[in-house]
Amino acid sequence: MLITQPESKQRQASGPRIGLAIAGGGPVGLVYEIGALRALDEALEGIDFNNLDVYVGVSAGAVTAALLANHLKTGQMCHIFISNESDEHPLDPRIFLTPAFGEYWRRLASIPGLVWESCWRYFKNPLDLSFLQSLTRLGRALPSGFFDNEPIHHYLTRLWDTPGCANDFRALSNKLYVVAVDLDTGEAVKFGTPGYDHVPISRAVQASSALPGLYPPVEIDGRYFVDGALLKTMHASVALQEELDLLLCINPLVPFDARLAVTAGRPTQVGRLVEGGLPAVLSQTFRALIHSRLKVGMRQYDNEYEHSDVILFEPNRDDPKMFFTNVFSFSGRRWICEHAYQSTRQDLLNRREELAPILARHGVRMRMDVLEDPDRRYYSSLRNQRGLAAPAEYRGPVVTHLHATLDQLEEVMEKGKISSGTPG
């Protein structure tokens, strides 16, 4: 999706102001965003993704935006989150799926009191309430989230407690906004703005990614916050309010069009999505809801923000790989990152006649030598970035083929789970 506007006087006088807005999508969305950013970083000459004027992140996108604002290169992000070869910041994917035992015990401890209150309420009003109606108070014993998001906060705190990084919005050289929603008021809060910039970035990211039901709301200054996607998918307007000339947007989740996939000759694993059971139905519903809001927002930007060009990168709707991948799984992160990398490169190639002149007026050039290189992979140039080695799993042709075979086997097994109705 692309929105173009007339040339601005500010751009003519002082050069372009460029920003980045990134939506959420769970761990898989994070991996997709890293792959897409790696492709954009290599293919777009004239953009320094670690020195943009504004960064806006929601949920998983808040992680990616904060990493870039903290001057982590896309190659370093691949090194840490994809190949998991960082000795300094080893990543255990289980931090995303740690049971919230503290929440469980706290809720269990409340059951005796709630049972007493329910019975007392019934005996006081036996004619107004049935006994089952009086037991509705027991709903308070259900945990507010099944997984603990404190490990995410702790990992990011350690990650940004290194030279050159900061866990303080005010210490960053460029603007970073992390959006979350106040659970009690439904208000969107932009951490990083005055009055909210004292909150540690790691805590703000934890709040922005607290998807209701999966993670408990995050308490900050006596208020409870949840996933920023509850109100808007990407909150790109937060960046556009900074009078940008060019805004790049990344959205990893789109609804799947099975008919388009069949027409394109791509296997869909199931004949109809209903055959995939509840996980497929819920995934399609969630994706359709958040994407419809995104489309409405993109249309509004065309009228509300003059002189701002907006370019959106997202998966194709006929892409079964992105749809049938468990959004909370890290097991296939190598191929997801590679898939995002290649899809974004292909998207740039397919839209080059449309995008090249728009990017050129912002001083950005598309590197056709990179885009047209058939042998290029997301890890191809990691050896040359500040001494980073290519991921160990890709060193040597024998190891390369072995891991490719294992990835294919893993994908086949995932297909088998879906076909049999077993959750991934």
Side-chain angles (χ1 to χ4, degrees):
M1 188 175 293
L2 174 68
I3 298 175
T4 60
Q5 301 287 7
E7 192 81 7
S8 72
K9 294 180 180 179
Q10 180 180 357
R11 183 187 309 133
Q12 297 171 16
S14 60
R17 286 175 51 80
I18 302 176
L20 177 68
I22 314 179
V28 166
L30 172 65
V31 173
Y32 180 91
E33 290 159 2
I34 292 174
L37 282 166
R38 182 71 181 149
L40 295 174
D41 190 19
E42 290 184 342
L44 300 182
E45 186 176 64
I47 294 183
D48 182 354
F49 280 91
N50 294 113
N51 192 32
L52 301 179
D53 293 280
V54 183
Y55 300 89
V56 175
V58 180
S59 194
V63 179
T64 316
L67 291 170
L68 291 172
N70 260 295
H71 300 290
L72 267 76
K73 302 289 186 182
T74 57
Q76 291 175 299
M77 293 162 63
C78 290
H79 194 62
I80 295 172
F81 290 90
I82 308 304
S83 63
N84 199 16
E85 290 191 323
S86 173
D87 294 330
E88 187 177 6
H89 307 293
L91 175 67
D92 185 349
R94 288 178 295 182
I95 67 172
F96 295 95
L97 296 174
T98 302
F101 291 118
E103 175 71 4
Y104 298 164
W105 289 119
R106 187 173 72 86
R107 298 290 176 169
L108 283 172
S110 70
I111 290 179
L114 291 173
V115 171
W116 171 254
E117 289 180 15
S118 298
C119 293
W120 181 249
R121 185 184 180 196
Y122 172 72
F123 289 128
K124 285 181 64 178
N125 304 281
L127 299 180
D128 295 333
L129 295 172
S130 69
F131 184 69
L132 290 178
Q133 287 176 320
S134 66
L135 292 178
T136 55
R137 284 176 177 258
L138 290 177
R140 300 180 186 180
L142 295 175
S144 59
F146 291 100
F147 302 111
D148 189 1
N149 46 17
E150 279 296 318
I152 300 173
H153 162 63
H154 294 317
Y155 178 80
L156 294 177
T157 300
R158 294 192 301 270
L159 181 63
W160 290 323
D161 187 25
T162 54
C165 294
N167 200 18
D168 189 331
F169 287 98
R170 298 163 295 188
L172 298 176
S173 56
N174 302 90
K175 293 181 179 179
L176 168 66
Y177 299 121
V178 172
V179 184
V181 173
D182 186 315
L183 180 64
D184 291 311
T185 66
E187 169 195 9
V189 171
K190 298 176 287 186
F191 292 102
T193 57
Y196 296 100
D197 54 0
H198 67 284
V199 177
I201 298 173
S202 56
R203 185 67 75 186
V205 170
Q206 178 192 6
S208 179
S209 57
L211 183 63
L214 287 174
Y215 296 112
V218 177
E219 182 181 4
I220 299 176
D221 296 339
R223 300 166 65 181
Y224 288 88
F225 294 91
V226 293
D227 197 316
L230 262 66
L231 289 183
K232 292 183 179 180
T233 301
M234 192 158 47
H235 292 271
S237 58
V238 174
L240 291 169
Q241 290 167 5
E242 298 289 334
E243 298 182 349
L244 296 177
D245 298 304
L246 174 64
L247 177 64
L248 302 179
C249 302
I250 300 178
N251 171 46
L253 296 183
V254 297
F256 178 59
D257 191 325
R259 294 181 180 179
L260 280 179
V262 171
T263 302
R266 297 178 177 176
T268 61
Q269 303 182 11
V270 293
R272 294 180 179 273
L273 291 184
V274 69
E275 297 173 14
L278 184 60
V281 173
L282 290 180
S283 178
Q284 181 76 329
T285 302
F286 177 72
R287 290 165 183 259
L289 285 173
I290 64 173
H291 199 259
S292 63
R293 294 187 311 181
L294 176 63
K295 291 194 295 183
V296 170
M298 294 292 287
R299 286 195 294 265
Q300 290 177 343
Y301 303 151
D302 191 17
N303 299 320
E304 295 180 9
Y305 299 98
E306 296 182 355
H307 311 303
S308 295
D309 294 334
V310 182
I311 303 176
L312 173 65
F313 296 94
E314 59 184 7
N316 295 323
R317 292 194 57 181
D318 60 351
D319 187 343
K321 286 188 174 182
M322 283 305 300
F323 180 80
F324 287 106
T325 297
N326 185 341
V327 295
F328 291 97
S329 169
F330 251 96
S331 61
R333 55 187 160 174
R334 290 190 303 273
W335 75 259
I336 294 170
C337 183
E338 180 64 25
H339 182 64
Y341 177 82
Q342 299 296 351
S343 298
T344 304
R345 292 175 71 235
Q346 189 61 49
D347 188 26
L348 286 168
L349 273 175
N350 294 342
R351 302 162 65 189
R352 61 186 180 276
E353 293 184 2
E354 175 189 28
L355 295 181
I358 303 301
L359 292 169
R361 73 182 191 181
H362 300 288
V364 181
R365 182 180 71 88
M366 297 175 66
R367 292 190 55 187
M368 300 307 296
D369 59 321
V370 171
L371 293 174
E372 293 178 341
D373 183 357
D375 299 321
R376 199 172 189 91
R377 302 292 183 266
Y378 81 85
Y379 51 83
S380 294
S381 61
L382 290 185
R383 285 190 179 93
N384 302 321
Q385 274 206 2
R386 294 188 178 183
L388 289 178
E393 60 263 31
Y394 296 109
R395 296 174 190 158
V398 176
V399 177
T400 299
H401 291 306
L402 174 60
H403 276 275
T405 302
L406 291 175
D407 287 344
Q408 292 175 2
L409 177 61
E410 182 178 42
E411 186 176 348
V412 169
M413 293 175 66
E414 286 295 325
K415 290 179 181 179
K417 289 181 181 179
I418 294 171
S419 299
S420 63
T422 304

